[in-house]
Amino acid sequence: MPAERERLAQIKKNLERRAEVYGVVREFFRKQGFLEIETPLRVLSIAPERYISPIKSEGWYLITSPELHMKRLLAAGYKQIFQISRCFRGGERGRLHNPEFSLLEWYRAGADYQDSISDAEQLVVAVIQKLHRSKILHYQGQNIDMQLPWPRLSVKDAFLQSAGWDPVAAYDAERFDYDMAALVLPALDPAHPTVLTDYPAAAASLARLKTDNPLVAERAEIFIGGIELANAYSELTDAAEQRRRFEKEAAQIEREYGTGMQISEPFLEAVGYLPECSGIALGMDRLVMLLCDAVDINEICAFTENNI
């Protein structure tokens, strides 16, 4: 107990900063006319994704993301919604990962992935200016210039420059993930955020494809200080195509892991009523880490898997 008391005392300032960040985030969305909502944490089915391990709860699942239920609200006519949700993913533990974590997601009707990235830029800068009164973020000895707009770089160009191949023309999932971590991300400019855009279609199962190039999905990710912060999509609104993608992914999961996945029929029904829309997920723990100059998620969470 003395060791725990000391640890919790040491991170008190970071927990106070965390509360401030949450307050600024909520204020930002309320001023933009977004409705804060809540969706279930325990569900019958989730989106099948090979590289995400769900955690079971009495035959149900703890959510890996609130995405499916939030899109059902969009399909019912909601225009701008956001929430900060607790999410759960098995086997994820490291300096940036904990099996239970906080995810900020927001969705807008009549928008695309570029709009969501613009929202994220404005949100992050608003938080930094409110708490640091500057557009320069100091993180792990690096001064990061947060002036807008942030540099954009297509995934194709990033891989050609740093890994020597084009994942859009010839996608290889394992090679893509390895080279992204080992070659592409370390080569990004540390003095600025970077937005990687236009991912290979096979790497975006819930995103709309580009009309002029179906090999590319309208997906983008934000990286700051070597940390993947947010992931944005122009949302797929074709229910038949969404079913095909889910069934393909579920079959792959069953072949590789022997695990059957139930596909959410209420979600697939809702997809057919979705307007043109965009959504984005932003890691709140990681945003707080950046604002606290923290290198490990244990520094900004009162309790993680290590000390529950």
Side-chain angles (χ1 to χ4, degrees):
M1 183 60 73
E4 175 170 290
R5 285 170 55 86
E6 181 179 354
R7 183 187 70 83
L8 291 176
Q10 288 175 345
I11 66 171
K12 183 180 178 184
K13 288 188 181 299
N14 286 349
L15 298 185
E16 290 172 343
R17 173 54 54 88
R18 184 185 185 108
E20 289 179 309
V21 172
Y22 276 56
V24 177
V25 166
R26 287 192 162 99
E27 180 184 22
F28 174 87
F29 282 108
R30 289 181 186 130
K31 285 183 176 179
Q32 299 295 324
F34 281 73
L35 174 68
E36 183 171 8
I37 53 92
E38 292 181 324
T39 55
L41 298 182
R42 185 170 171 269
V43 296
L44 279 171
S45 55
I46 59 172
E49 297 180 83
R50 271 186 291 166
Y51 301 112
I52 294 179
S53 299
I55 297 174
K56 290 190 175 180
S57 172
E58 297 179 328
W60 290 41
Y61 295 99
L62 300 178
I63 62 166
T64 57
S65 160
E67 178 172 3
L68 302 192
H69 282 85
M70 292 186 77
K71 288 183 182 177
R72 285 166 65 179
L73 288 168
L74 282 181
Y78 290 69
K79 301 299 184 184
Q80 296 188 142
I81 55 175
F82 82 100
Q83 74 170 309
I84 300 173
S85 176
R86 300 298 282 179
C87 297
F88 306 83
R89 298 179 184 180
E92 296 201 1
R93 189 69 186 100
R95 76 175 188 90
L96 298 175
H97 297 89
N98 191 60
E100 180 180 353
F101 59 99
S102 293
L103 202 60
L104 164 67
E105 292 204 16
W106 69 93
Y107 292 83
R108 287 211 282 138
D112 65 12
Y113 70 134
Q114 297 287 3
D115 295 313
S116 287
I117 290 298
S118 179
D119 287 342
E121 288 177 319
Q122 294 173 52
L123 168 65
V124 173
V125 169
V127 174
I128 292 171
Q129 285 191 300
K130 181 78 170 182
L131 301 183
H132 289 321
R133 311 221 177 262
S134 171
K135 288 188 179 180
I136 302 296
L137 175 68
H138 305 283
Y139 184 69
Q140 296 299 298
Q142 176 70 52
N143 291 332
I144 305 173
D145 185 354
M146 306 298 290
Q147 293 283 344
L148 302 181
W150 297 340
R152 265 69 164 166
L153 180 64
S154 73
V155 168
K156 175 180 178 176
D157 288 344
F159 271 76
L160 287 172
Q161 292 171 15
S162 302
W165 65 290
D166 179 2
V168 174
Y171 185 70
D172 179 318
E174 290 188 11
R175 185 183 180 190
F176 181 84
D177 290 341
Y178 179 84
D179 284 355
M180 175 70 85
L183 301 175
V184 174
L185 298 187
L188 298 181
D189 181 2
H192 298 87
T194 299
V195 181
L196 286 184
T197 66
D198 300 339
Y199 275 65
S205 66
L206 288 146
R208 184 175 70 200
L209 303 184
K210 280 187 166 293
T211 55
D212 59 348
N213 184 1
L215 295 177
V216 172
E218 294 190 354
R219 174 189 175 190
E221 288 190 297
I222 296 171
F223 297 86
I224 303 176
I227 293 176
E228 176 196 334
L229 181 66
N231 185 15
Y233 294 151
S234 298
E235 302 296 346
L236 181 63
T237 59
D238 182 331
E241 173 63 13
Q242 186 66 80
R243 179 181 294 277
R244 186 193 70 78
R245 294 188 195 180
F246 272 8
E247 289 177 347
K248 180 180 179 181
E249 193 76 2
Q252 186 72 20
I253 291 170
E254 189 159 13
R255 283 195 300 270
E256 292 184 7
Y257 305 108
T259 302
M261 297 289 292
Q262 179 179 338
I263 294 174
S264 173
E265 292 298 333
F267 169 70
L268 288 177
E269 180 181 351
V271 170
Y273 295 94
L274 279 176
E276 179 180 333
C277 58
S278 177
I280 183 167
L282 184 149
M284 286 296 289
D285 301 304
R286 296 180 181 188
L287 179 60
V288 174
M289 286 177 64
L290 290 168
L291 269 294
C292 292
D293 195 18
V295 71
D296 194 293
I297 195 171
N298 291 299
E299 299 174 53
I300 53 88
C301 291
F303 301 100
T304 64
E305 191 177 61
N306 288 6
N307 47 47
I308 293 176

